[in-house]
Amino acid sequence: MKGETAGAIAANRYFDPDYQLPAVKVLPGEYYVTSEDQVLVTVLGSCLAVCLFDHQRGIGGMNHFLLPETGRGSGLASAVTHHGVRIMEQLIEEMLRQGARRHQLEAKVFGAGNLPNDLLRHDATLRTVEFVHSYLDTEGIPLLGEDVLGAYARKIYIFPSSGKVLLKKLRSLHNDTILQRELEYILYLKRGEALGPYDLFKE
């Protein structure tokens, strides 16, 4: 599926028995925003998740992405970061559409683990983290906390209405599902298809 958006709205929903809440799983290339009493869940390997909150209005959202390794230049205007800018703008626009106020947005950032991956340059995850730091600083969005880099994957749960985030560091993976999903996403970016929503792995 091609289009003018950078990502796809997460559609994988289920009921989480541990938290007794409706849950939404956010996969690579996806994002989700809500003001409802839900939990957003993702597992991050090399990818990074930006969680945005408007605490006063009880609205929160999350994306899940990695910068493509294409283009030249540096800074927010470069071709390399263009995909990331669009991903971030998409998340912010949906936050505003649901009633958030830009000046009240706050961020928490997770992921970008340095996991073994032959398709990624060693600096790819660091470049994505640096992009997010630069973007948030440029947009005046406070970064309240982060847990990034390191040689492990992460599973995070965010509770949009409260801004609470639970993080579990995965020292080992029981299966290769997340690595396979990220592999497909990386291949997708390498093919230069970042202009369309990534809709593989819809379950």
Side-chain angles (χ1 to χ4, degrees), residues 10-199:
N12 191 327
R13 306 185 185 193
Y14 63 100
F15 185 80
D16 190 300
D18 293 328
Y19 298 106
Q20 291 293 298
L21 287 173
V24 179
K25 184 183 296 184
V26 182
L27 301 178
E30 296 183 340
Y31 72 99
Y32 195 81
V33 174
T34 185
S35 59
E36 299 178 7
D37 194 13
Q38 297 177 311
V39 56
L40 309 187
V41 186
T42 197
V43 179
L44 302 160
S46 300
C47 289
L48 182 143
V50 177
C51 306
L52 293 181
F53 303 97
D54 180 336
H55 292 94
Q56 293 187 33
R57 294 179 177 269
I59 301 170
M62 173 171 64
N63 58 24
H64 182 152
F65 74 102
L66 183 72
L67 292 186
E69 293 185 22
T70 57
R72 296 171 181 264
S74 61
L76 296 181
S78 72
V80 171
T81 59
H82 180 65
H83 176 62
V85 170
R86 292 179 66 196
I87 284 281
M88 290 302 303
E89 288 178 346
Q90 191 174 48
L91 179 62
I92 291 174
E93 287 170 4
E94 183 61 20
M95 292 281 293
L96 300 181
R97 190 188 71 80
Q98 295 200 28
R101 297 292 181 264
R102 181 180 286 269
H103 68 278
Q104 294 173 176
L105 295 180
E106 297 174 322
K108 296 179 181 179
V109 178
F110 305 94
N114 295 311
L115 304 183
N117 193 319
D118 293 336
L119 290 179
L120 284 180
R121 296 203 318 257
H122 71 280
D123 64 341
T125 53
L126 178 60
R127 184 161 44 84
T128 303
V129 172
E130 290 176 341
F131 157 74
V132 168
H133 286 169
S134 177
Y135 182 90
L136 294 175
D137 183 63
T138 299
E139 295 298 316
I141 300 175
L143 178 58
L144 299 186
E146 67 177 353
D147 190 295
V148 297
L149 303 174
Y152 45 81
R154 297 164 172 87
K155 185 171 187 177
I156 62 170
Y157 294 82
I158 78 166
F159 300 84
S161 59
S162 67
K164 181 180 179 181
V165 178
L166 298 179
L167 179 147
K168 180 179 181 181
K169 295 179 180 179
L170 306 176
R171 303 295 178 178
S172 62
L173 297 175
H174 297 299
N175 57 61
D176 63 355
T177 300
I178 183 59
L179 298 179
Q180 284 296 110
R181 285 175 172 165
E182 290 196 348
L183 171 63
E184 291 291 339
Y185 181 52
I186 292 166
L187 290 173
Y188 167 85
L189 295 177
K190 284 180 176 291
R191 290 196 298 267
E193 297 174 349
L195 294 181
Y198 175 73
D199 55 8

